[in-house]
Amino acid sequence: MQKLTLRVRALGTGMLAAAVLTACGGGGGDSTPPPAPAPTVIPENLAITVPATSESATAVAFGNSAGALTGLKYQWDFGDGSTSTDAAPSHSFASGGEFEVVLKVTNEAGSSRETRTKVSITNIANVRGLECTGAASTGWCWQNPRPTGNHVNTVYFLNATTGWRGGESGEIFKTTDGGKTWVRQSTGIDAPIYGIKFFDAQTGWATGAFGALLRTTDGGSTWSVSKFGEAPYYLSSTDLAAITAVDAKTVYIGRTGIGNGGTGLFFTSKDGGLTWKTISSTPFQITASGKFWLIQNNSVRVSTDGGQTYTSSLDLKLPPTSSYFEAATMLAQDDQHLVAYTRTSSYDYTTYRYVYAETVYTTVDGGANWSTVNLPSGTAVGIQRLYQVSADAKTLVASGNSGMIRSTDGGMTWTPLAGPPAEPYYYSFSYISIGGSDIIANNYSTMWLSRDAGQTWAKISTPGGVNSFSFSSDSFRRVDASSLLASDGQGAMHLSKDNGQTWTQVYAAVDSGSPYYYGQSAVVGFADAKNGFMTDAANKSYATKDGGITWELKSVGFNGARSIQFVNKQTGWLVGGDGRLYKSTDLGQSWTNVALASGVSLTAANFQTELLGWSQRYSGAQFAYTRDGGKTWTEMSLPNGVVTMRMGDQAWVAIGAAGAVHVSTDSGATWNAAYTGTAATLNSLAFSDAKTVWVVGSEGTLLKSEDAGGKWTLVRLPSSNGTLRSVRFANAKVGWIVGDGGLILATQDGGKTWRQQPSGTSLGLTSVQAIDANTAWITGVNGLLLATGSGGN
């Protein structure tokens, strides 16, 4: 005020008067105050900017179309209980799923506009780098075994390091490190692969079910389907397996391989698969010039037109004392030199025994003339196979169930071979030719290898350490000068780089080749998207902290698990293979035995909360429930045949055989049977909300109740006639059903519609567990464990 007074005194009188008039509103001037600033206009097309898909536990950047304007307030709701008032917040979702994000923008005048969007939060990190049914680690992925658990039907090694294997679901994998690691090669088909053969490092063929035939010219990086042209109508129901690749252009494909003889589909191509000829007789041998040789109708027959027509080269006649032909085989060393063998038999009613006659036929002029050699009784071995063991067509070896014989003059004369050293209490030897002068002798306890056509022998180890009784003539193949490949008769494949002294397993066995065989299943339980516990097909136990990418072996004493369940992010329940109940409070890192009454042994248990749960004993439908976390149990009287139950908020529901459903609304005191309209065996049930219950069973049965189990309707599913094993819901909208034949069905609209998701296997799936809409696991036979971080899509 003092500063203002001093300034006024310095002014003239007139100026002072003008100032006073102005202050009082006089002097005729405009007295309207300046207008207030206009409020910020919120864009009509207000929109949220955010990636459509992001990973859980990672920061997600949000923005909006009004973010550059001033004077606005922001209120974010991320759909998981978290909020923000930042214009462009960063938010991390703790779990996967679909979240509706809402943004409300308000200006200075209090006007507001709201917009919303959906964000998919995945757990791709759980399966990144695994074999999956979708691109970029989407779909369902193999967490155990790896790379997959599908049955392997065939394996082919080009050399000691490079090989291919084929199996169910159209799988072909390649290794370049002797089987240590395998990389999938896309085939584009789902049919099982039964045969693989490579002519060189680039040119190869694969055969399979339903007449499948694939060809590659780049080492398997790409496979193309080759068509047979005018093939028989029944080709689509034929399984092709055998492949003989003569060169890069000439290949023979059949149901059975060359050397088996007999009738059946057989295809030949001389232009790399562009055109094919079909013949109905599989040859015993094909010479380098393309002659087909076959023993058929008691005749050695030859074809010079690729098997289209045959002419008889030698009629095989029964000796006077014989009744019928018992065995016949042949060996074509080249176009001119061939050896045929027959064994005939008759029954001598005087001595009451069978009499055998073995005859060898030889030709040196392509079958124009034949010589006959009758093997004396001291020499006859019951020949099963003939081998050429030298390049000059003169040195031959024949093996049978009574030993080996050798000829050095093209089959005119034969002398016995001693074979490996005899060992006490062992069976007699059988012999396997693996090409050239290499022969393996097997007496079902020990194995021997000869590199010089049976003259000297070296003892070798048994692949996989299994009883050598499992090995057959197709078990071994020479890969190179020092490497052997062997199937151990149980499905595993082994590679030796030192001629059989030591073996390395290049892939493990699957319990059965049948896709519907139900062997030991894995059992798994997850507390959240990262922490879980599993017991595998061998009853070994593992814990994971990264969603199943890695598993840590745990030392436990319950001999595997019959069921595993986590009711929250700390507490888990487990029924062990020993019938005891165990509890974990540290995400499965350790388990403590929960005391049960003396003599009680459990088969299953399930908890709705940390305190409320039920258990089932070994003997029939003896169920009990607990309300204090297993400290005390109250028995329930359930009808016979009940296999499992679930405790809902409004009712308890139990299911069993012959379509049986029983419902209790008084905590298990009384049970009432519900009408289901089916006689199917019911296997699994799940609540998707307090009132909605789902039940699956045999014959593709799916039942739904919308009143907590009182009334049931049958839901029709897409193309499902097999047994459904398990049903689970992540929330009221998202759920899965799994069953036989690798079946996975998914719903995203609360069960109004179900669609099939590729599983990548035809093996039986036994259970499904869901953490959220995008994160789930499926167990199956042979320790199978599939996982998804993208909802299976």
Side-chain angles (χ1 to χ4, degrees):
M1 187 66 186
Q2 291 179 349
K3 293 181 180 179
L4 177 59
T5 302
L6 293 174
R7 186 179 178 190
V8 170
R9 287 177 178 174
L11 297 174
T13 303
M15 292 292 293
L16 177 60
V20 173
L21 288 173
T22 300
C24 295
D30 187 359
S31 61
T32 302
T40 304
V41 177
I42 304 174
E44 292 186 7
N45 59 345
L46 179 66
I48 297 171
T49 57
V50 63
T53 302
S54 299
E55 275 286 280
S56 68
T58 59
V60 181
F62 289 85
N64 69 91
S65 56
L69 302 177
T70 58
L72 299 179
K73 294 181 179 180
Y74 303 88
Q75 183 62 48
W76 294 84
D77 183 344
F78 297 112
D80 64 347
S82 302
T83 61
S84 175
T85 57
D86 295 339
S90 178
H91 177 65
S92 176
F93 292 85
S95 62
E98 303 292 328
F99 296 91
E100 185 175 58
V101 179
V102 181
L103 170 62
K104 182 178 181 180
V105 178
T106 306
N107 66 11
E108 302 91 333
S111 296
S112 62
R113 193 179 300 277
E114 188 175 281
T115 187
R116 58 189 65 210
T117 191
K118 288 186 177 180
V119 178
S120 177
I121 302 300
T122 64
N123 273 300
I124 298 297
N126 290 2
V127 295
R128 185 169 288 116
L130 303 181
E131 290 297 327
C132 303
T133 58
S137 301
T138 60
W140 289 94
C141 310
W142 287 87
Q143 282 194 340
N144 186 66
R146 299 179 186 179
T148 78
N150 286 326
H151 185 72
V152 176
N153 300 318
T154 183
V155 64
Y156 181 82
F157 270 76
L158 188 66
N159 51 50
T161 57
T162 304
W164 293 261
R165 67 186 232 195
E168 301 298 313
S169 300
E171 289 186 349
I172 293 181
F173 286 85
K174 181 180 181 179
T175 181
T176 56
D177 56 12
K180 295 178 181 178
T181 59
W182 295 87
V183 177
R184 182 191 288 271
Q185 296 185 323
S186 177
T187 64
I189 65 172
D190 293 326
I193 302 297
Y194 292 133
I196 295 177
K197 188 69 67 64
F198 274 74
F199 172 72
D200 55 32
Q202 301 301 317
T203 308
W205 301 85
T207 54
F210 316 117
L213 175 61
L214 304 172
R215 182 174 185 255
T216 180
T217 57
D218 56 13
S221 296
T222 57
W223 291 88
S224 60
V225 177
S226 184
K227 300 183 183 301
F228 287 113
E230 296 297 326
Y233 70 92
Y234 50 87
L235 175 62
S236 61
S237 62
T238 298
D239 294 341
L240 299 176
I243 308 168
T244 301
V246 178
D247 54 41
K249 294 292 185 180
T250 306
V251 65
Y252 305 102
I253 305 292
R255 275 193 288 196
T256 57
I258 294 172
N260 290 281
T263 59
L265 278 182
F266 191 73
F267 302 93
T268 67
S269 176
K270 295 184 179 298
D271 55 13
L274 296 178
T275 59
W276 294 87
K277 289 184 178 180
T278 305
I279 62 175
S280 58
S281 296
T282 304
F284 272 77
Q285 280 195 275
I286 302 175
T287 62
S289 67
K291 281 186 178 181
F292 284 31
W293 290 91
L294 176 67
I295 296 180
Q296 189 179 58
N297 299 326
N298 297 336
S299 173
V300 176
R301 304 171 65 82
V302 62
S303 173
T304 58
D305 58 5
Q308 299 300 303
T309 60
Y310 281 89
T311 58
S312 177
S313 176
L314 171 66
D315 290 329
L316 304 173
K317 297 180 179 180
L318 284 170
T321 58
S322 297
S323 301
Y324 60 92
F325 286 99
E326 186 178 81
T329 188
M330 66 174 300
L331 171 69
Q333 299 112 299
D334 54 38
D335 280 350
Q336 301 301 314
H337 296 80
L338 292 94
V339 178
Y341 161 85
T342 62
R343 173 171 168 159
T344 61
S345 65
S346 62
Y347 190 74
D348 187 338
Y349 289 94
T350 303
T351 61
Y352 301 105
R353 56 186 293 183
Y354 280 96
V355 178
Y356 300 100
E358 297 184 72
T359 306
V360 174
Y361 306 86
T362 65
T363 180
V364 295
D365 54 13
N369 298 282
W370 293 85
S371 299
T372 302
V373 178
N374 292 316
L375 296 179
S377 59
T379 305
V381 295
I383 293 176
Q384 295 171 337
R385 292 205 175 189
L386 291 159
Y387 318 120
Q388 178 179 350
V389 294
S390 67
D392 61 5
K394 290 186 177 181
T395 306
L396 308 174
V397 171
S399 67
N401 50 22
S402 299
M404 298 181 67
I405 56 178
R406 175 185 176 93
S407 173
T408 58
D409 55 9
M412 297 302 296
T413 59
W414 296 83
T415 57
L417 283 172
E423 297 185 45
Y425 310 117
Y426 290 163
Y427 294 97
S428 60
F429 285 99
S430 61
Y431 299 91
I432 304 168
S433 171
I434 58 176
S437 58
D438 291 345
I439 300 173
I440 288 179
N442 170 24
N443 71 348
Y444 307 141
S445 292
T446 60
M447 304 192 79
W448 300 75
L449 172 65
S450 173
R451 302 297 307 278
D452 54 10
Q455 298 183 82
T456 60
W457 296 88
K459 193 173 184 179
I460 63 175
S461 60
T462 305
V466 302
N467 190 307
S468 61
F469 180 83
S470 304
F471 296 93
S472 67
S473 59
D474 297 324
S475 297
F476 292 86
R477 189 176 73 83
R478 177 160 293 285
V479 176
D480 56 33
S482 59
S483 301
L484 302 174
L485 187 69
S487 169
D488 66 7
Q490 298 179 354
M493 188 64 68
H494 305 266
L495 183 67
S496 173
K497 297 182 180 181
D498 54 12
N499 281 313
Q501 296 305 303
T502 59
W503 297 89
T504 300
Q505 182 174 280
V506 294
Y507 69 80
V510 176
D511 287 353
S512 171
S514 169
Y516 302 103
Y517 174 80
Y518 273 80
Q520 177 70 34
S521 294
V523 182
V524 66
F526 274 82
D528 53 31
K530 300 299 180 184
N531 294 279
F533 191 83
M534 174 181 71
T535 61
D536 65 9
N539 287 331
K540 294 181 179 180
S541 297
Y542 304 85
T544 181
K545 296 181 180 179
D546 54 14
I549 284 290
T550 61
W551 295 87
E552 179 185 0
L553 182 65
K554 291 293 181 179
S555 178
V556 293
F558 40 71
N559 189 32
R562 295 194 174 105
S563 65
I564 305 171
Q565 178 197 14
F566 285 88
V567 294
N568 53 43
K569 292 190 176 183
Q570 293 295 327
T571 305
W573 296 93
L574 182 150
V575 176
D578 56 7
R580 298 181 178 183
L581 180 65
Y582 295 84
K583 181 179 181 180
S584 174
T585 57
D586 56 6
L587 295 170
Q589 296 299 309
S590 61
W591 297 86
T592 303
N593 179 225
V594 178
L596 299 172
S598 177
V600 171
S601 182
L602 302 183
T603 60
N606 184 271
F607 281 76
Q608 184 183 13
T609 67
E610 189 171 349
L611 298 178
L612 176 62
W614 60 266
S615 64
Q616 182 182 18
R617 298 182 187 178
Y618 262 108
S619 52
Q622 292 191 20
F623 286 78
Y625 70 87
T626 179
R627 293 185 180 277
D628 55 14
K631 294 179 181 178
T632 60
W633 294 88
T634 301
E635 290 192 4
M636 294 182 287
S637 179
L638 279 167
N640 290 331
V642 169
V643 296
T644 190
M645 63 174 289
R646 287 292 182 270
M647 296 170 157
D649 294 334
Q650 298 186 8
W652 296 1
V653 181
I655 62 172
V661 173
H662 304 275
V663 181
S664 175
T665 56
D666 55 8
S667 299
T670 59
W671 293 86
N672 297 311
Y675 175 73
T676 62
T678 180
T681 299
L682 306 180
N683 298 318
S684 174
L685 76 155
F687 283 82
S688 58
D689 57 40
K691 291 186 176 181
T692 308
V693 196
W694 301 85
V695 173
V696 297
S698 62
E699 302 173 2
T701 301
L702 174 61
L703 298 172
K704 178 184 179 182
S705 173
E706 296 181 293
D707 60 358
K711 297 180 180 180
W712 294 87
T713 58
L714 186 65
V715 179
R716 189 175 299 276
L717 290 172
S719 62
S720 173
N721 297 316
T723 297
L724 306 179
R725 301 284 175 178
S726 179
V727 57
R728 289 293 181 270
F729 276 77
N731 53 45
K733 296 291 184 182
V734 179
W736 290 272
I737 296 170
V738 301
D740 286 359
L743 178 68
I744 302 176
L745 297 171
T747 181
Q748 294 183 327
D749 55 12
K752 294 179 182 178
T753 59
W754 294 85
R755 65 180 182 86
Q756 189 167 344
Q757 292 181 332
S759 65
T761 185
S762 56
L763 292 170
L765 307 180
T766 54
S767 71
V768 57
Q769 178 183 164
I771 294 297
D772 55 55
N774 282 334
T775 312
W777 288 264
I778 293 173
T779 61
V781 301
N782 306 325
L784 173 158
L785 180 62
L786 303 177
T788 182
S790 59
N793 300 306

